[in-house]
Amino acid sequence: MRYLIAETSWSLMTLASALSDAGNLLTRTDRPEDIPHFLHITPADLLVLDARDLDRPGLSLANLRRAHPGMPIALMAKDASHAQIVRWLESGADTVLDPASPPEEAMMGLSAITRRAHGLAQPVLRYGPLAIDLQQRMAYLTDCPIKLSPKVYELLEYIALRPRRLINRATLLSHVYGLEDEPDPRVFDVYVCNLRACLAASDGAVDIETVRGSGYRFVPACLDGAIAA
């Protein structure tokens, strides 16, 4: 998962550091006015910003929800009234974080909201013998851990959350690397080859299909019961 977080307060900076330390992919900015641009070039699974920044041009909840209807939006607000929280939720926010809450509590809440946007009630995604623990950021085949680098894990997580959907290389690179310098395309091909080799032990339960000139497709043998209840 990739979060876009606007670090315009000490509480948001602390939360961003905790999220990064836990291994989450982050796009970070201290300029909230750049959020629409960042979302255009690097789509996010979740947006986190201070409620006070909603006054900036283009950052109303209505505009954000219109442009990104399926993206969860989390606001952080200090001493917000019950009426104000209700208005934010009615306008398109998915949750309102209290900056006084421990970062660990906020992280668990954000994780739950993000995975449920993908239809996951629990943090484990299953395809036959393959299990992907989104909370621990680990993948398993027949309950044995698969040794994956962080980048390769992110590649697997992204395509496994979108089974049988064609995903082009540019989208994958944008998700995995964000605003970082992207690697030589041959390096990314190596990532895909390594991941495909790891999944070969599933005996055909899952595979990665290469569509020449278009991208990749995660192909499970069966989608029934793929997402843990």
Side-chain angles (χ1 to χ4, degrees):
M1 305 285 189
R2 176 171 288 279
Y3 297 170
L4 171 56
I5 183 165
E7 300 177 89
T8 55
S9 69
W10 179 255
S11 296
L12 282 167
M13 292 172 64
T14 301
L15 177 59
S17 294
L19 288 166
S20 179
D21 290 345
N24 296 283
L25 294 179
L26 295 185
T27 301
R28 306 164 77 161
T29 180
D30 58 2
R31 291 171 48 87
E33 58 270 25
D34 290 339
I35 285 175
H37 174 64
F38 285 159
L39 289 174
H40 176 70
I41 61 175
T42 306
D45 294 289
L46 172 76
L47 170 63
V48 188
L49 72 159
D50 195 297
R52 293 172 296 184
D53 292 324
L54 292 174
D55 295 332
R56 298 172 185 259
L59 282 187
S60 70
L61 283 170
N63 287 341
L64 289 168
R65 187 50 71 210
R66 189 180 304 112
H68 308 279
M71 178 187 66
I73 299 173
L75 301 179
M76 182 170 281
K78 182 179 180 180
D79 300 328
S81 68
H82 173 73
Q84 183 61 74
I85 291 174
V86 169
R87 284 196 294 271
W88 286 328
L89 294 174
E90 289 178 339
S91 299
D94 292 276
T95 189
V96 179
L97 305 173
D98 184 345
S101 299
E104 295 79 9
E105 179 182 319
M107 288 169 58
M108 292 299 293
L110 295 179
S111 176
I113 291 169
T114 307
R115 69 169 183 265
R116 285 168 188 155
H118 287 279
L120 281 164
Q122 298 294 332
V124 179
L125 181 62
R126 297 184 184 277
Y127 294 100
L130 175 66
I132 303 172
D133 188 327
L134 305 178
Q135 197 68 48
Q136 299 297 323
R137 299 171 53 80
M138 290 286 296
Y140 302 83
L141 267 177
T142 58
D143 297 326
C144 295
I146 306 174
K147 293 183 179 180
L148 301 175
S149 70
K151 299 294 187 187
V152 176
Y153 169 82
E154 291 295 343
L155 169 61
L156 172 61
E157 181 187 271
Y158 188 89
I159 61 177
L161 285 169
R162 298 160 179 84
R164 297 182 181 168
R165 187 188 308 177
L166 180 62
I167 302 171
N168 64 48
R169 179 196 294 264
T171 297
L172 279 171
L173 284 169
S174 178
H175 174 77
V176 174
Y177 285 91
L179 303 178
E180 301 174 22
D181 292 334
E182 295 178 358
D184 185 290
R186 291 170 295 183
V187 174
F188 196 72
D189 289 339
V190 171
Y191 288 168
V192 175
C193 288
N194 288 345
L195 181 55
R196 187 180 282 121
C198 291
L199 298 180
S202 71
D203 294 327
V206 290
D207 193 15
I208 300 175
E209 176 184 304
T210 299
V211 181
R212 190 172 297 278
S214 297
Y216 304 97
R217 185 182 284 118
F218 181 79
V219 184
C222 181
L223 283 177
D224 293 340
I227 296 178

